[in-house]
Amino acid sequence: MGQTEVKQLVDDLANGRLTTSDLTAALTASGSADLGDTTLDLDRRRRCGFPEVVYAEGKSSETLLRIVGSLLESNQSVLATRVSLEKSEALLGAYPNGRYHPTARTFRIDIGPRDVRGRVTVVTAGTSDLPIAEEVRETLDWMGVETTMVHDVGVAGPHRLVYQLDKLRRADAIVVVAGMEGALPSIVGGHVDCPVIAVPTSVGYGASLGGIAALLGMLNSCAANVVVVNIDGGFKGGYVAGTIARRRHHHEVPS
Amino acid sequence: MGQTEVKQLVDDLANGRLTTSDLTAALTASGSADLGDTTLDLDRRRRCGFPEVVYAEGKSSETLLRIVGSLLESNQSVLATRVSLEKSEALLGAYPNGRYHPTARTFRIDIGPRDVRGRVTVVTAGTSDLPIAEEVRETLDWMGVETTMVHDVGVAGPHRLVYQLDKLRRADAIVVVAGMEGALPSIVGGHVDCPVIAVPTSVGYGASLGGIAALLGMLNSCAANVVVVNIDGGFKGGYVAGTIARRRHHHEVPS
Amino acid sequence: MGQTEVKQLVDDLANGRLTTSDLTAALTASGSADLGDTTLDLDRRRRCGFPEVVYAEGKSSETLLRIVGSLLESNQSVLATRVSLEKSEALLGAYPNGRYHPTARTFRIDIGPRDVRGRVTVVTAGTSDLPIAEEVRETLDWMGVETTMVHDVGVAGPHRLVYQLDKLRRADAIVVVAGMEGALPSIVGGHVDCPVIAVPTSVGYGASLGGIAALLGMLNSCAANVVVVNIDGGFKGGYVAGTIARRRHHHEVPS
Amino acid sequence: MGQTEVKQLVDDLANGRLTTSDLTAALTASGSADLGDTTLDLDRRRRCGFPEVVYAEGKSSETLLRIVGSLLESNQSVLATRVSLEKSEALLGAYPNGRYHPTARTFRIDIGPRDVRGRVTVVTAGTSDLPIAEEVRETLDWMGVETTMVHDVGVAGPHRLVYQLDKLRRADAIVVVAGMEGALPSIVGGHVDCPVIAVPTSVGYGASLGGIAALLGMLNSCAANVVVVNIDGGFKGGYVAGTIARRRHHHEVPS
Amino acid sequence: MGQTEVKQLVDDLANGRLTTSDLTAALTASGSADLGDTTLDLDRRRRCGFPEVVYAEGKSSETLLRIVGSLLESNQSVLATRVSLEKSEALLGAYPNGRYHPTARTFRIDIGPRDVRGRVTVVTAGTSDLPIAEEVRETLDWMGVETTMVHDVGVAGPHRLVYQLDKLRRADAIVVVAGMEGALPSIVGGHVDCPVIAVPTSVGYGASLGGIAALLGMLNSCAANVVVVNIDGGFKGGYVAGTIARRRHHHEVPS
Amino acid sequence: MGQTEVKQLVDDLANGRLTTSDLTAALTASGSADLGDTTLDLDRRRRCGFPEVVYAEGKSSETLLRIVGSLLESNQSVLATRVSLEKSEALLGAYPNGRYHPTARTFRIDIGPRDVRGRVTVVTAGTSDLPIAEEVRETLDWMGVETTMVHDVGVAGPHRLVYQLDKLRRADAIVVVAGMEGALPSIVGGHVDCPVIAVPTSVGYGASLGGIAALLGMLNSCAANVVVVNIDGGFKGGYVAGTIARRRHHHEVPS
Amino acid sequence: MGQTEVKQLVDDLANGRLTTSDLTAALTASGSADLGDTTLDLDRRRRCGFPEVVYAEGKSSETLLRIVGSLLESNQSVLATRVSLEKSEALLGAYPNGRYHPTARTFRIDIGPRDVRGRVTVVTAGTSDLPIAEEVRETLDWMGVETTMVHDVGVAGPHRLVYQLDKLRRADAIVVVAGMEGALPSIVGGHVDCPVIAVPTSVGYGASLGGIAALLGMLNSCAANVVVVNIDGGFKGGYVAGTIARRRHHHEVPS
Amino acid sequence: MGQTEVKQLVDDLANGRLTTSDLTAALTASGSADLGDTTLDLDRRRRCGFPEVVYAEGKSSETLLRIVGSLLESNQSVLATRVSLEKSEALLGAYPNGRYHPTARTFRIDIGPRDVRGRVTVVTAGTSDLPIAEEVRETLDWMGVETTMVHDVGVAGPHRLVYQLDKLRRADAIVVVAGMEGALPSIVGGHVDCPVIAVPTSVGYGASLGGIAALLGMLNSCAANVVVVNIDGGFKGGYVAGTIARRRHHHEVPS
């Protein structure tokens, strides 16, 4: 809680808009739900703009069901990532209106219609990067951002990218998904004036070191507008691009 | 050159607005200046919004002087990074109106007054991260972006950050500069709804591995809005934040 | 055997309290049981306060049964870690009064009632860290230490930790279990005056490098009261915390 | 600020012990001093038991002087680590009653007499580990903890350690400082029932990898009572040992 | 498209050999086939001499079938690498004249008879390197290059290599396939005057680090004529050797 | 072939003891058997004292059978390492007098009675190191060296090793097999005057990095008589120890 | 010495063209010069086409002078790499007709006029890669190969490379010198049909890891015609390209 | 102290050969000299055959002088390694009969004439490996072992090694010193029947990683008789070879 909010609360007390027990409650509110082995952050949407997203790996189906239930109760939409086929069955059993994407391994429940704002182009270096690109796309779709896909334009056939420049230039942000040497974000970055979010993938073998080669390549990109997320980090790549794109099309001018 | 531009050029020829030699010239324009050991990208500003920025490490003073001269000739402003004190003297000798910042190690020549657009908050974990934070700030200043500095609010004294929340929440983008365990971007990210650009620094010793520990920490951040640049990558951290901030406050709605 | 003990033995001989063959026996006592491929350290409890704990990985069920039998014969309690479900069945078949915890993968046989001394709080960054946290808790329970669990208070929702500060402040030692960027121990450390034992976990993917990122983050913690154990080292994290907590509540003032 | 403290403050307001502006002040107190590029944590002593310790590397003499001045003003004692000879001269010039230890590279100003509580034994594997061991000792001395030094008892001459067992067994905690293969903490751990804080050093060459070999060895220690800090982390090794030792000899039984 | 080609096109327009729409078409030709998640580079053969080779890992059988179909439609031969047995069945079902090599894991469809040009000798250090060597051989065979195999002449039995020197000396290029310490390329390189392409393999255990040891050894080769490809990179090793060998026996003197 | 041997051959020719075709045959003898994908080094025993030992990993049963057959034909004994249970069945089917050891994963066929010479003591740090220790023992047994096993005397129970000193001191060479921190070879080395061959194992988890921690520890051993082999390198550890031990008990004084 | 050569020698003896002492001399010729701490390989030119090249790092000026003298005595040309300015002075003092290139750090003495054969294009990603590119060029010049330089066409300004395609397409081999992300060889490879030798450089900072990032990127190149040499391996990059280029323009068809 | 020795002492007491205070003294003898920051192991020679060798790095001249004095007092010879020129001056000032070798950086004082026993051949791959090879040679000389040097026979000129085979075959043990790819020990190992001690050096650049490449190559050697020591570990390489060689020529047959 920031300085301004605390001052406002004490003012409210001084002005009789709050009782002392209201004040105590406000100052010590947990903003979260205690689900036993999980403390769900119900205040996330207020602070960060979107509800807490669920990382399903290492969580049991029972835990996932408890979390989804708690989010829906507080009227928040649901996005879970890295959901195995088996866990998706438990979730779809309980929530048949949910949407499971088997390539992206995401599970979603949208709450009411969302306004669509902002445009993101998602680029893959090769066909094998598809699962991560789909995770990016599902995330953006859940956030209410329009996406354009440009597939398989890796650097060994450089004309393929040039042919698609128009799709790159009208984006608010671009997500580039690439394994092996991870060179594509630099090339894309050199053609555009928007931020490029580079998502290294574990596609490759031998000295690709499970994606480390692509990650290092992207971190050392000589293009000034390239930032990087974790290997196979499709969710985060999409999330940050979506944040940039949505905020560009809707903001109060700060005072 | 994208599809649209090529089509436009051939149309211009068909319509008599261009001769065939104009067309050849346009299609084969180098967009760059040949300076011997350097091929300066003079077209960068058109494509990417800002002129090519000069990485001074490993370049001689002579080469730097040639590049600066060429940029000014084509009426582009100058930013050079990682400029040693010795090289700065050669540059200031030739361009006394330039600005050298010894902590940031940047050299700048601004061209005419720039409109200031967008707000970025720059946060450091500790006082030793100062040089990189100053490189961030100089970059943003050169781009025409307003900056707010929040210094030394590392996680071991967590109340220090909370005290400054208001400065974080009104930014278009936040740059967090941190060495050692690199935990600060995650904390900042959990408090705000704008993108957080994490800049790991080489501050630390032993298992900090020259900044690798901070880099890995930031890549694995559990906050969804954190992206990462290279270790000690102050320029890029500032550049991307500036791009996000400026574009948020000035854009044509894409058709 | 220390200087003092040797001198005492020779004195006892001089004073007729020992025969020479008693002395030889005492000086050359093995303090261990020869079980073929295992040399069980039966003297561990005397030297270190607790019996030898059994690392079950890479040991056959037959070897485990021999070790458990030998410990019980010498009236020592049993704790085995990293016990697979399959091996647990062999152990429970022979010792039905044993306790197997399938999440923690521990097998225990307690000997008589133990006095409970000291308080340790165990904190997890996320729900996926649960198995290691349960190994910590089982270890502390076996040692006779009271535990309080605080689950899923990772740094992206920083208010969740603040809400639980009271549980942290009354502990003799705190064990923090965290994967990904491993930032939580630093935050906890900044709030308390007791030692914090950081246990990195292999939760995460890509650049988490199987827990290396969390480990490095914790080693570089800017909080002065944080020490670290091996990745997924729940047993050791619990053991050291338990040692600190129990010794705090029971000690002779050294002369 | 924990739940209990917030509740107490609101109660105090309700009971007239505080005015609303007192309450606002208390809730929004920074607990820190703004020194420009530094935000000094003046509340650290209250939360963690000791004042903030200053990491001098990467800080200018001017910054260090500002910090020392601010600590003394608020009546807190001073410990700065990794202080170069050159910076020590600036500090001693301003504070002639300070104490600089050139081997440990520490600078201290103690405030009034401190009660001495607790006993820590500091063990080195070799003579080359001396500078780090001296940093440990200075830290403990500043904290008011009694220290015993046991030097150069590395494992290649195992009888040297056995000869000193009595010094190990009467400690509240032991700090073992070792480079190369870092085996000594395991041996020490096998002889005692108190916690062993292992401090890897960068002593060695080739495959010691600047201390990584010793660090990994200590993290994989088969002794259950060994925890680890950063390479060359003498300050932290001493600090945690001191915390354990002092708290063992002085504590209120928690309610 | 190079300068010369663009100029030629505009000349053709000026001379009436092209219409403006022909020109636009030529300048904006994609040179590729859009297969949904794949953008097949149909222009590769013109630029690089051979059709695009298909990396089958991470691609579904459906995607592979689409790619093979598209290549054949444009009358290009097919080579796919890292094809699992299961995927080979789908491919052979649709294209019974294809050739699947289970050790090399390659699938090929040759188009018409190919002239055979150039000679490459393929050398293995040990029998366990066979699968990669077979991938080399299949690639060369597809390219129309004559191969000689020299098996299992690792350095621990140095006379075995000397016995085969004649086979080495008459090659246009040599591919050496070796795991473990990867020393063989240096020895081969010291005996011949042609380029040696070193292919490290993941054969080995422990400190071979999945082929990293062999890779590093080859990169540090003291023989001046040794170049390196990725670990287990049989395809690329063969391809580059084949390029060198074929071009040596057929080239127009460049103007 | 050394200088002396070549000179002797030409002398023999000059003296009529050889014909020119004998000479050519001797100078160009392959000393190996061509088995298709394998070139078996039949000259190894003459040069190095023992026949070529077969590394079974990555070789098919068919290849192994061909190699074993070829060795027996030339009257050489057989040792194959890393033989899976499945391959052992093929080998035992063809050679029922062979000996397969399932823990060591070795397959042997001894040729006639061997004189036993030399004594090696094999020490393990823990019970989980048993498979590698058994590979050491089988290798030594095949070489005709007497072995003594000392099991599970890791450093956390240091008295266990001291109790066995007599077994260490009468060896010609000692092999120490240890995972985790790999500290045991240093301790053993400090007690004896013979060479200590350290075999790191992959026993451990987390920061043991698959045996890298133990390997680095052993390479940095402060004991002067410790040398190291690859992780899990039981065969080589045994082979070198056996070479040292046998040669100590049987040698012509070199002229 | 290969089989064919040995047979020829014995035939010569049989036919009276050699005496037995001639034969012994031929079979035991050292092919090298013993210079005390150096064994110079005088036979290298016969086997490999060029004399031994001297790696000057770690050699004293005295040793270098001995080596240069010995090469000249046997009428071989001289190339030394990594020659410091100080050592160059000693060499130029003794051999004033030598040529020292301070950027490339090479020292050469050419013997008589060399026929120039083959064409290599050398490409740099950035101006800071110049020293390594000059080492490439000097090596090629010494070998008698024509070179074309294309400077500073890194991927962030992709039009710069396209502008120079004609220079790439007429080469027999291309050497690409690049640091940072090392992406340029892949782009170049996608445009041409000749082999591309990628030379990673240590240009960069932070996560460039002294050139490891560029090296990994190049090893994982998705272009099929890219091979790699050591970081900063300008000599080897030039040497292999020169070998390919010269052999393409001059060869006997092997029988 | 082993079992046998303890029993003997108690027997001696029982038989009146010792008093009880003699016994206490014998059982608690430190076997070392307390020099303040150093505990010198004076018992090393009895246990291990040679006095403690001094690692001079990180020790002051004062400490070194104390250690040398103490060794000489107890009539033990002196070997110090990694002695800088500056420290050598202090040592030679005090002990003018000492011998300092500036290339090997060793300081020695021999005590009386030593019998020379055993033969070791020391091989270098290149001239730059000379300093480490000289450290090997000085160590062996101090131990009283005869050495033969074979210089600069790296694998790129393989005939150079073959020419020296006779020198290799008459050794009791061989030390091979090599940097870069570290391939030479494997080749040497394939020619001989004695143990080969491989010493990797830090000679090389780029991907040699300061000697790691050579180290890994040697650990993965396919020759069965190769063992490895630390990078630049000339002392240990010589020490172990000397131990093997001396013990081969002088031993009581163990009972």
Side-chain angles (χ1 to χ4, degrees), chain C residues 64-212:
Chain C
L64 291 175
L65 286 167
R66 270 203 306 275
I67 293 173
V68 170
S70 181
L71 281 166
L72 292 176
E73 257 172 53
S74 64
N75 204 32
Q76 309 208 21
S77 68
V78 175
L79 175 62
T81 65
R82 303 200 161 229
V83 180
S84 66
L85 194 61
E86 192 193 332
K87 290 177 188 170
S88 78
E89 281 159 11
L91 289 166
L92 287 169
Y95 300 98
N97 64 326
R99 167 187 162 105
Y100 180 67
H101 192 295
T103 306
R105 295 197 297 153
T106 48
F107 177 83
R108 290 165 51 186
I109 304 177
D110 296 352
I111 297 290
R114 177 140 222 173
D115 62 318
V116 172
R117 273 208 320 259
R119 287 205 269 195
V120 172
T121 298
V122 182
V123 185
T124 62
T127 307
S128 308
D129 300 313
L130 193 64
I132 302 303
E134 286 294 299
E135 193 185 25
V136 175
R137 200 192 45 63
E138 277 290 299
T139 300
L140 286 161
D141 201 45
W142 173 76
M143 295 175 87
V145 176
E146 184 191 330
T147 53
T148 305
M149 307 302 284
V150 174
H151 277 304
D152 191 23
V153 293
V155 297
H159 56 100
R160 296 181 297 192
L161 179 70
V162 173
Y163 193 73
Q164 308 263 23
L165 276 185
D166 292 344
K167 287 189 191 156
L168 302 178
R169 288 195 176 142
R170 65 175 188 248
D172 294 316
I174 298 174
V175 181
V176 181
V177 182
M180 295 181 173
E181 79 263 61
L184 191 55
S186 294
I187 322 289
V188 170
H191 281 298
V192 301
D193 61 353
C194 71
V196 172
I197 320 295
V199 183
T201 70
S202 51
V203 168
Y205 56 93
S208 89
L209 302 176
I212 294 286

Side-chain angles (χ1 to χ4, degrees), chain G residues 25-45:
Chain G
L27 288 170
T28 63
S30 81
S32 55
D34 181 349
L35 310 177
D37 57 9
T38 304
T39 306
L40 190 64
D41 184 357
L42 294 173
D43 186 51
R44 183 78 54 95
R45 187 172 53 183

Side-chain angles (χ1 to χ4, degrees), chain A residues 3-5 47-48 119 163 166 169 190 192-193 219 221 223-224 226 228 230 236 239 247-248 251 254-255, chain B residues 3-5 47-48 119 163 166 169 190 192-194 221 223-224 226 228 230 236 239 247-248 251 254-255:
Chain A
Q3 304 278 86
T4 313
E5 288 152 301
R47 294 194 322 275
C48 302
R119 288 203 270 196
Y163 192 73
D166 292 344
R169 288 194 176 143
V192 301
D193 61 354
L219 286 167
S221 173
V226 174
V228 188
N230 195 1
K236 195 178 285 187
Y239 188 91
R247 285 169 54 92
R248 195 177 175 213
H251 57 93
S255 58
Chain B
Q3 305 278 86
T4 313
E5 288 153 300
R47 295 193 322 274
C48 302
R119 289 204 269 195
Y163 192 71
D166 292 343
R169 288 195 175 142
V192 300
D193 61 354
C194 71
S221 173
V226 174
V228 188
N230 194 1
K236 196 178 283 187
Y239 188 90
R247 284 169 56 94
R248 194 175 177 216
H251 58 92
S255 57

Side-chain angles (χ1 to χ4, degrees), chain E residues 25-234:
Chain E
L27 289 169
T28 64
S30 79
S32 55
D34 182 348
L35 310 177
D37 57 7
T38 304
T39 306
L40 190 63
D41 184 357
L42 294 174
D43 187 50
R44 182 79 53 95
R45 187 172 52 183
R46 183 189 66 78
R47 294 193 322 275
C48 301
F50 288 92
E52 183 169 358
V53 172
V54 187
Y55 175 69
E57 209 149 293
K59 293 193 177 68
S60 66
S61 293
E62 292 65 39
T63 296
L64 291 176
L65 286 168
R66 272 203 304 278
I67 293 173
V68 170
S70 181
L71 281 167
L72 293 176
E73 257 172 52
S74 64
N75 204 32
Q76 308 206 23
S77 69
V78 175
L79 175 61
T81 64
R82 301 198 163 232
V83 181
S84 67
L85 194 62
E86 190 193 333
K87 289 177 189 171
S88 79
E89 281 159 12
L91 290 166
L92 286 170
Y95 301 98
N97 64 327
R99 167 188 162 104
Y100 179 67
H101 191 297
T103 305
R105 294 196 299 152
T106 49
F107 177 83
R108 290 164 50 185
I109 305 179
D110 296 351
I111 298 291
R114 179 140 224 175
D115 62 317
V116 172
R117 277 207 319 260
R119 289 205 269 197
V120 171
T121 297
V122 182
V123 185
T124 61
T127 306
S128 307
D129 300 314
L130 193 65
I132 302 303
E134 286 295 297
E135 193 185 23
V136 175
R137 200 192 45 63
E138 276 291 297
T139 299
L140 286 161
D141 201 44
W142 173 76
M143 295 174 87
V145 175
E146 185 191 330
T147 52
T148 304
M149 307 302 283
V150 173
H151 278 303
D152 190 23
V153 293
V155 297
H159 57 99
R160 295 180 299 190
L161 179 70
V162 174
Y163 192 72
Q164 308 264 22
L165 275 186
D166 293 344
K167 287 187 191 161
L168 301 179
R169 288 193 176 146
R170 64 174 189 247
D172 295 315
I174 298 172
V175 181
V176 181
V177 182
M180 295 180 173
E181 79 263 61
L184 191 56
S186 295
I187 321 289
V188 171
H191 281 298
V192 300
D193 60 354
C194 71
V196 173
I197 320 295
V199 183
T201 70
S202 51
V203 168
Y205 56 93
S208 87
L209 303 176
I212 294 286
L215 171 64
L216 290 177
M218 291 167 176
L219 286 167
N220 286 285
S221 172
C222 57
N225 48 356
V226 174
V227 287
V228 187
V229 298
N230 195 0
I231 298 162
D232 291 336

